[in-house]
Amino acid sequence: MALEDAKNQIDHAFTRESARGLSYENAFAGAPSFLRRLYTKELSGVDLAVTGIPFDQAVTNRPGCRFGPRAIREASTLQPYDPPYGWNFDPLSEFSVIDYGDMAFDYAKTSTVPAGITSHIKTILDAGAASLTLGGDHFITLPILRAYAEKYGPLAMVQFDAHSDSWIDDDPDRIDHGTFVYKAVKEGLIIPERSVSIGIRTTNPDTMGVNIIDAPEVHRAGPDTVAAKIKDIVGDTPCYLTFDIDCLDPAFAPGTGTPVWGGLTSGQAALILREIAGLNVVGGDVVEVSPAYDTTGATAVAGAHVAMEILCLWGWTRRGSE
């Protein structure tokens, strides 16, 4: 296929005949599935399912990340024309990747959402696929980790964030985007000494044993050094990668619920993500994109590219690349 196919291709989210391959429909038209993947609930033979969890319970400052999955999908429509630059392989052609759509839940029964998320992700994992989740506030990572830990056992966690999200919270019924790491450690879902949080720039006296690479260290040491440190911490332990978009400085991602200055540039994040190739990434998510606070769309664009990088990291290990 080539760009001239745009005159014939449209709505590949519904009309494409295969879950593999690039897409050339006009970027400004058509149904905006993630990367123009086929929208389907059929998981048979699928390698990775992209899914949205538009859950927005309580970010610290500005709500609206329930619209994150929609915005990220729309921003991603410019990406599936070519293999991702610099990776030297095309995950969209080598693997069966679908858009599994959004998780359904009753917005008036918030207490039912955590178990619903775990069940939703477990359905994907039980089918033999990996999940790539578009959020939603950062709470969603906790019930996702419950599903992953059930399959893989305790995981390493690679967290890109401005906040450690490990504030003390011993109430099992609380649903809080700022305590998911605390609870994940307490529940034995992640291995703290094999986990690392990158980009942190807010004070929290107890990080639950998770290794911290704060934003100043990223700026001073540089992406290559930081990536090497991440790989040393995680080793070959199966790991889950979660990327809160507020890891990026507000200059690069203003559309988030809790903007904090002094963060990573999009270039730094891209280099670090690229350089940690080889980690055994078993799944991941991008959270807290709040498009209403960014009329440029830059935050959603960043979220879409981060999601593609997670897909590539997952695929790099699956294909046995070195």
Side-chain angles (χ1 to χ4, degrees):
M1 294 189 297
L3 285 177
E4 61 265 22
D5 294 316
K7 66 180 181 290
N8 299 315
Q9 292 182 3
I10 194 66
D11 294 328
H12 252 187
F14 304 109
T15 63
R16 65 181 304 128
E17 297 178 355
S18 171
R20 299 177 186 239
L22 301 171
S23 294
Y24 293 95
E25 61 184 281
N26 289 316
F28 53 82
S33 62
F34 183 72
L35 299 175
R36 305 290 191 181
R37 297 302 89 196
L38 183 68
Y39 261 126
T40 179
K41 297 296 185 183
E42 176 55 59
L43 290 166
S44 177
V46 169
D47 296 313
L48 183 141
V50 179
T51 188
I53 300 181
F55 180 71
D56 187 9
Q57 162 67 6
V59 292
T60 305
N61 183 34
R62 304 185 300 191
C65 51
R66 67 185 61 183
F67 296 107
R70 180 186 300 176
I72 292 171
R73 285 188 174 101
E74 182 176 354
S76 78
T77 57
L78 191 59
Q79 295 175 251
Y81 296 97
D82 301 294
Y85 183 77
W87 274 100
N88 299 319
F89 84 108
D90 174 15
L92 298 182
S93 296
E94 292 196 22
F95 298 101
S96 174
V97 180
I98 64 160
D99 192 323
Y100 192 60
D102 286 348
M103 185 190 100
F105 60 90
D106 187 341
Y107 68 89
K109 291 185 178 180
T110 305
S111 62
T112 66
V113 172
I117 294 173
T118 301
S119 176
H120 181 73
I121 298 300
K122 190 174 183 298
T123 297
I124 294 170
L125 299 181
D126 286 350
S131 69
L132 172 54
T133 304
L134 314 177
D137 75 45
H138 216 159
F139 167 78
I140 69 169
T141 302
L142 177 62
I144 292 173
L145 285 171
R146 288 171 179 153
Y148 268 87
E150 183 177 327
K151 178 172 183 177
Y152 292 99
L155 299 159
M157 178 190 68
V158 178
Q159 173 193 7
F160 288 79
D161 209 324
H163 316 87
S164 65
D165 288 344
S166 58
W167 282 273
I168 296 171
D169 183 3
D170 290 312
D171 183 344
D173 296 324
R174 289 192 73 253
I175 297 173
D176 191 326
H177 76 295
T179 65
F180 89 90
V181 172
Y182 179 88
K183 289 184 175 179
V185 173
K186 286 284 190 177
E187 292 181 25
L189 307 178
I190 62 174
I191 307 167
E193 61 270 24
R194 286 294 184 186
S195 300
V196 55
S197 298
I198 305 102
I200 304 302
R201 51 194 190 277
T202 51
T203 300
N204 186 352
D206 188 357
T207 57
M208 300 299 293
V210 173
N211 298 275
I212 301 295
I213 302 175
D214 65 12
E217 182 176 351
V218 175
H219 297 316
R220 293 183 177 116
D224 290 348
T225 299
V226 168
K229 186 173 181 178
I230 294 169
K231 295 178 83 168
D232 184 59
I233 291 168
V234 175
D236 59 1
T237 307
C239 68
Y240 186 87
L241 195 156
T242 179
F243 197 109
D244 188 328
I245 206 68
D246 70 24
C247 177
L248 302 181
D249 189 86
F252 298 88
T256 184
T258 319
V260 184
W261 81 328
L264 276 60
T265 69
S266 56
Q268 287 173 321
L271 286 169
I272 295 170
L273 288 166
R274 191 63 52 90
E275 290 301 317
I276 60 174
L279 291 182
N280 185 12
V281 175
V282 294
D285 61 55
V286 185
V287 297
E288 301 202 6
V289 171
S290 297
Y293 308 105
D294 178 8
T295 58
T296 71
T299 309
V301 169
H305 280 274
V306 167
M308 172 62 99
E309 295 299 294
I310 296 173
L311 169 58
C312 290
L313 287 166
W314 168 87
W316 190 255
T317 301
R318 304 284 88 70
R319 71 195 300 268
S321 293
E322 298 181 358

